[in-house]
Amino acid sequence: MLKKGDINRTKAAYWCVVSGSDILLSQDALPFGTAEALDLPYQQAIEVGRYQDFPVLWLNECDVKRPLELVSLRECLDFPQSLFLLMSKAVQYGHMSQTMRFCPQCGGRNHLNHNQLAMQCSDCRTLHYPRIFPCIIVAVRKQQQILLAQHPRHRNGMYTVIAGFVEVGETLEQCVAREVKEETGIDVTNIRYFASQPWAFPSSMMVGFVADYHSGTLKPDYSELSDACWFDVDQIPLVAPSGTIARELIEHTVGEIKRSL
């Protein structure tokens, strides 16, 4: 990994210029080139990893002195996974640097510690690392059907699987059971881990599970959902986009059902 002093205006790199969960693209790709060619302030850049043997640098939009047009990181879901994860990393570091400006212990001013990639208080010297919010996301199967739900924020009719934040004092498996019960009224069993995905909106970790229906009648909580239904595999509606763990869970479960027919 490059040290800060090794980053200069003439070394080519990939540039993640971020603000919130938005990122700069150039011709629908992550900007690649030298700081000089791209007119970017290399003095503030931090390396977050490497892609195709080139450094990937994080830079906050507020450090760039010219106007930029950024797009949501969601627009990059079809990028190669290794690159998307580095972009997500930059977004999460950007979120840390912009939302942890003051020490929660003493109220002192925080500054970025470049060695630790954490915010450090100038007064009490406490290090504050990026806050990551754990969430569960689960695909539920009932014999030859999959449970899919629609949220009010999904204006295009998209359906997805159940998800929610982990509460203090509960295991991930308990969170799965609670979220499914609260949002749909049913009980699940045979909860097992599937995969995970960093989700930089703004700084979550999605932990994916699959589970089986156990009991209960489907009764959507309409304060959380617009709809929730059991779907046959030949009647799947518009679902979460490719590149999301939600889509992976749906495709995995649908595939398992089809193989069992």
Side-chain angles (χ1 to χ4, degrees):
M1 179 173 288
L2 290 176
K3 296 181 180 179
K4 186 169 179 59
D6 295 331
I7 300 171
N8 62 49
R9 60 180 183 163
T10 61
K11 288 187 177 180
Y14 290 93
W15 294 82
C16 296
V17 184
V18 303
S19 176
S21 294
D22 294 340
I23 193 163
L24 178 67
L25 296 184
S26 175
Q27 297 181 337
D28 298 322
L30 196 64
F32 175 79
T34 66
E36 185 175 52
L38 296 172
D39 190 21
L40 294 173
Y42 67 90
Q43 298 92 336
Q44 284 77 37
I46 302 290
E47 184 179 351
V48 296
R50 298 185 73 84
Y51 180 69
Q52 294 183 341
D53 228 13
F54 287 95
V56 177
L57 304 181
W58 152 47
L59 190 64
N60 287 332
E61 182 195 24
C62 61
D63 292 322
V64 181
K65 303 307 181 184
R66 58 186 174 86
L68 301 173
E69 290 188 14
L70 276 58
V71 302
S72 172
L73 185 63
R74 295 176 190 271
E75 301 296 319
C76 309
L77 285 167
D78 60 348
F79 281 34
Q81 185 185 53
S82 57
L83 181 59
F84 180 79
L85 291 178
L86 288 170
M87 295 164 69
S88 299
K89 193 174 183 179
V91 164
Q92 289 181 307
Y93 278 131
H95 181 257
M96 172 194 72
S97 68
Q98 297 303 302
T99 61
M100 299 179 66
R101 296 179 179 179
F102 296 94
C103 177
Q105 289 194 185
C106 75
R109 190 70 164 88
N110 283 334
H111 297 279
L112 182 66
N113 181 310
H114 293 273
N115 292 325
Q116 295 291 322
L117 282 185
M119 301 300 285
Q120 186 166 30
C121 179
S122 299
D123 295 333
C124 70
R125 309 304 295 166
T126 300
L127 284 167
H128 303 284
Y129 292 91
R131 288 176 289 186
I132 301 172
F133 306 102
C135 308
I136 63 86
I137 183 165
V138 56
V140 180
R141 174 180 173 179
K142 180 183 180 183
Q143 296 177 346
Q144 313 308 325
Q145 295 180 311
I146 182 174
L147 176 64
L148 297 174
Q150 190 179 66
H151 294 268
R153 64 180 179 274
H154 295 154
R155 303 297 184 185
N156 60 352
M158 185 189 83
Y159 280 76
T160 187
V161 286
I162 301 297
F165 286 98
V166 180
E167 293 185 352
V168 171
E170 71 179 355
T171 66
L172 294 169
E173 292 81 3
Q174 287 172 334
C175 182
V176 168
R178 175 183 57 78
E179 284 289 346
V180 174
K181 181 72 171 179
E182 289 178 355
E183 295 195 7
T184 69
I186 67 170
D187 295 300
V188 293
T189 188
N190 195 23
I191 299 168
R192 58 257 190 222
Y193 175 75
F194 176 75
S196 62
Q197 181 181 36
W199 195 240
F201 303 97
S203 192
S204 297
M205 168 59 77
M206 304 296 291
V207 185
F209 291 87
V210 291
D212 297 327
Y213 167 83
H214 178 63
S215 62
T217 302
L218 190 60
K219 295 179 180 179
D221 176 3
Y222 290 110
S223 67
E224 295 283 340
L225 305 176
S226 300
D227 189 28
C229 295
W230 295 107
F231 286 91
D232 294 326
V233 293
D234 58 352
Q235 296 179 327
I236 299 297
L238 176 68
V239 295
S242 296
T244 63
I245 192 170
R247 181 64 168 264
E248 291 183 33
L249 282 163
I250 293 167
E251 290 180 347
H252 169 80
T253 303
V254 168
E256 289 288 297
I257 293 171
K258 287 181 176 179
R259 282 188 286 273
S260 69
L261 294 176

